Structures are given as C-alpha cells and as structure tokens.
Amino acid sequence: KMTAVDVIVSCSGVFRDLFINQMALIDRAVKMAAEAKEPPEMNFVRKHSFQLTQELGNLTLREAATRVFSNAAGSYSANIAAWVKSNEWESELQLQRQFLARKCYAFNSDKPGMMEYKSELFRACLRSCEVVVQNLDLNDILSITDVPHYYDADPTKVIQALRFDDKKPLCLLAKTIKDGTEVEVYSLSETIRLDAMSKILSPDYFERVLSQSKNGVRDISNCLRNILGWAVTSGEVDTFIFDIANSLFLEDPKMQLRLREKDNINFRNMVATFLKAGEHGYWDTSDAKIRRLRELKKYAESEI
C-alpha cells in the first residue's frame, strides 16, 4: 500500500471560479484521508492534521485537514506582479505578507460555494512544505519569463520565511506533453536559465524582436522584469543573467541609444529593473554600476 502524501493546493482565482466543484472534491478527498484509520507513518495527511489540531487549537480533525486555498471570491492573483511592475515595493517581507493575506481563503466541501478566511491555518500548512510544484500551461511560443502570473503565484520564499529552519523548498515546474499523456518535470532554476539564454540573452531573439515589433523594447523590458520577479519570489535566478543582459542592453552605447530612441519610456523601465535587482542583491554588481544606473534612470526620466 502506498503512503498518503500531504499536499497543499493553491489555485488561481480563475480555477476557483471555473472548477469550484473539482476543488471541493479535492477538499473532500483530503478530509477522507485525514479521517482514515491508518497509522501516521502511512498517512501524512492524517499525521499533519493531528499536529495542526495541537498546534493551533480549537480545530477538529476535519477542519485541520483543509488543504485547498485560493483568493477571496471576486479577487484574483496575489498582486505580487503588480508590485514588481510598479517598482514601488521596498522588501520581500512586504510582498510575502500580501501573498499570505490574499491567498489564504479555503474551500470547504462541508460548506459548498463558500470561501473561508483561514490565514493561521494557511501559514501552518505552508510551514511544513518541502517541495513547490507549478503546473505550466504554456504554448511553444511563451515561456515563464514572458508572463508574470507564474511568479505571482510562487510561494517559495514565503515558505522559507515561515519555516523554523529557514530551509527553502525544492522548486519544480511540470508541463503536460503529448496530448496530456505525459508530464515533464524541470527545476525552476534550470528553466529560468534556459529561457533566458535562448530568448532574452540571445542576439537572434532580441534583434528579431526589436526589428519586427514596434513594442520590442517593451517586450524586452517586460521579460527582464519577469526574471526579477522570479528572483524576488524564488531566489532561483543566476546573477550572471543580469550581468549579461546589462552588458547587452545598457553598456553597449549603440544599443542603449537604439533602445532610448525607439521607446524611452520602456527603456527607463528596463533601467529601473536593473537598478532594483542591484539594490536588493538579486544581481551581484558593483556600487559604481548602481550609481551609473541611477544617473541613467534620471536621464531617461528627463527625456520622457
């Protein structure tokens, strides 16, 4: 007999709306597992649910078996991407608190259609997580550095901050292939590295984007911002990605002028992304380069 593994489901607001019955079925299955008369070493759902009743108090075993969470009704996303895009955030703690506040509403198959605020239980469940897996739903054109909603939903550093041992969970991405019959699993760091090297850091790619699209500078700027977003939420971005990108787009005088003349607003956003990465330690760079970026940002803003 296989061991019952404990899993937390954090679904998007769209899945909450479209598949509420399926989410309720998952919640019902978890509760059934928690109430099964099995030894703890063979049923981690039951084991952890008992632990949660002792840790939090005033919880029945069935209530402690809550594992399916999302946003409140009518609310979508953790809004991490919006903060990263605005460049107005000050610390990871600020973003983590927002994630926890917005994603802590629980499904309850005993109360169909209701989303219950379960902040304390959500935190306690996340605290024991060892692995984070995101299911990718991307076509062959888009990647995880092209769109922001995947890092917006990433809880990696949230979990690390909640854990008593400060251990960061393993980050994996799963993609369904061959008409849904097979699943490929990749590490997050590997995927970001390959995406960056094959797209944003590839001259063939960014030259094609700049020459064929009037929004080429915006597309490059958005991709760099999404890479920063992954660095903020997961810490799985290699610093050399920012190094190479900086040398390609900002330290090359001809390229810098080309980007400014084509779209100065998004060039300014690009500079702001590099500056944020350097100031917050996601890019291991020198103080001299950070000072230069501040000057370049001011110059770009003066031209807007």
Side-chain angles (χ1 to χ4, degrees):
K1 185 177 179 179
M2 296 181 64
T3 303
V5 179
D6 200 357
V7 177
I8 300 168
V9 178
S10 179
C11 73
S12 68
V14 174
F15 269 60
R16 175 204 60 213
D17 293 346
L18 296 178
F19 304 113
I20 189 167
N21 292 331
Q22 287 83 346
M23 297 301 109
L25 280 174
I26 296 173
D27 178 72
R28 183 182 173 191
V30 175
K31 287 177 167 55
M32 290 174 67
E35 293 174 335
K37 305 302 182 182
E38 297 176 338
E41 63 273 12
M42 293 297 296
N43 187 335
F44 285 96
V45 177
R46 184 171 175 82
K47 177 182 178 180
H48 293 161
S49 296
F50 271 121
Q51 291 174 347
L52 287 169
T53 61
Q54 296 172 359
E55 178 183 344
L56 301 179
N58 299 320
L59 281 181
T60 65
L61 179 63
R62 193 169 179 83
E63 290 170 336
T66 299
R67 296 292 187 278
V68 189
F69 298 89
S70 185
N71 296 79
S75 172
Y76 298 84
S77 84
N79 272 3
I80 305 302
W83 276 104
V84 173
K85 182 178 180 179
S86 73
N87 258 324
E88 296 298 325
W89 59 279
E90 296 297 331
S91 69
E92 287 182 6
L93 180 60
Q94 172 191 0
L95 301 180
Q96 290 166 7
R97 285 174 174 168
Q98 177 163 297
F99 180 94
L100 291 168
R102 290 180 64 85
K103 303 296 289 185
C104 69
Y105 290 81
F107 288 88
N108 188 344
S109 55
D110 295 333
K111 300 176 181 178
M114 293 182 61
M115 300 295 297
E116 298 181 312
Y117 181 76
K118 296 287 184 179
S119 176
E120 193 175 8
L121 180 58
F122 184 49
R123 290 168 181 261
C125 289
L126 288 176
R127 191 174 293 123
S128 62
C129 285
E130 299 282 348
V131 181
V132 172
V133 181
Q134 284 211 56
N135 183 49
L136 298 184
D137 183 20
L138 296 169
N139 57 37
D140 292 332
I141 300 174
L142 295 176
S143 70
I144 62 169
T145 58
D146 288 323
V147 291
H149 55 269
Y150 287 105
Y151 78 78
D152 186 275
D154 175 42
T156 303
K157 281 197 173 181
V158 173
I159 293 170
Q160 183 182 15
L162 289 171
R163 288 181 63 99
F164 298 125
D165 58 5
D166 197 40
K167 178 183 176 182
K168 188 165 71 173
L170 176 65
C171 309
L172 301 174
L173 300 173
K175 185 176 182 180
T176 304
I177 59 172
K178 294 186 178 180
D179 300 323
T181 59
E182 293 184 19
V183 175
E184 292 182 343
V185 179
Y186 308 90
S187 72
L188 176 58
S189 58
E190 173 192 24
T191 304
I192 294 172
R193 192 180 306 121
L194 290 175
D195 276 0
M197 296 302 292
S198 63
K199 299 191 80 171
I200 193 66
L201 302 182
S202 168
D204 288 341
Y205 173 79
F206 65 71
E207 285 292 349
R208 183 174 69 253
V209 168
L210 288 174
S211 61
Q212 295 181 0
S213 173
K214 65 179 182 179
N215 296 318
V217 182
R218 184 197 66 186
D219 293 342
I220 293 172
S221 176
N222 287 346
C223 184
L224 288 168
R225 185 187 296 119
N226 292 336
I227 291 173
L228 173 61
W230 278 115
V232 172
T233 63
S234 73
E236 295 290 321
V237 177
D238 298 302
T239 188
F240 77 79
I241 293 176
F242 292 110
D243 269 325
I244 298 175
N246 178 63
S247 65
L248 288 172
F249 301 119
L250 299 187
E251 292 191 347
D252 182 339
K254 292 183 179 179
M255 177 59 78
Q256 183 189 132
L257 179 61
R258 181 181 175 189
L259 297 175
R260 286 208 327 260
E261 290 181 343
K262 188 176 179 68
D263 186 346
N264 187 53
I265 292 177
N266 280 294
F267 173 76
R268 178 263 178 204
N269 294 339
M270 186 187 302
V271 176
T273 296
F274 280 107
L275 185 57
K276 205 75 170 179
E279 289 176 336
H280 287 263
Y282 305 112
W283 172 27
D284 186 12
T285 189
S286 65
D287 291 340
K289 283 188 178 180
I290 290 178
R291 287 195 297 270
R292 177 177 169 275
L293 286 170
R294 288 173 180 154
E295 294 171 359
L296 188 57
K297 181 170 174 277
K298 288 180 180 179
Y299 179 77
E301 288 173 342
S302 71
E303 295 293 309
I304 295 176

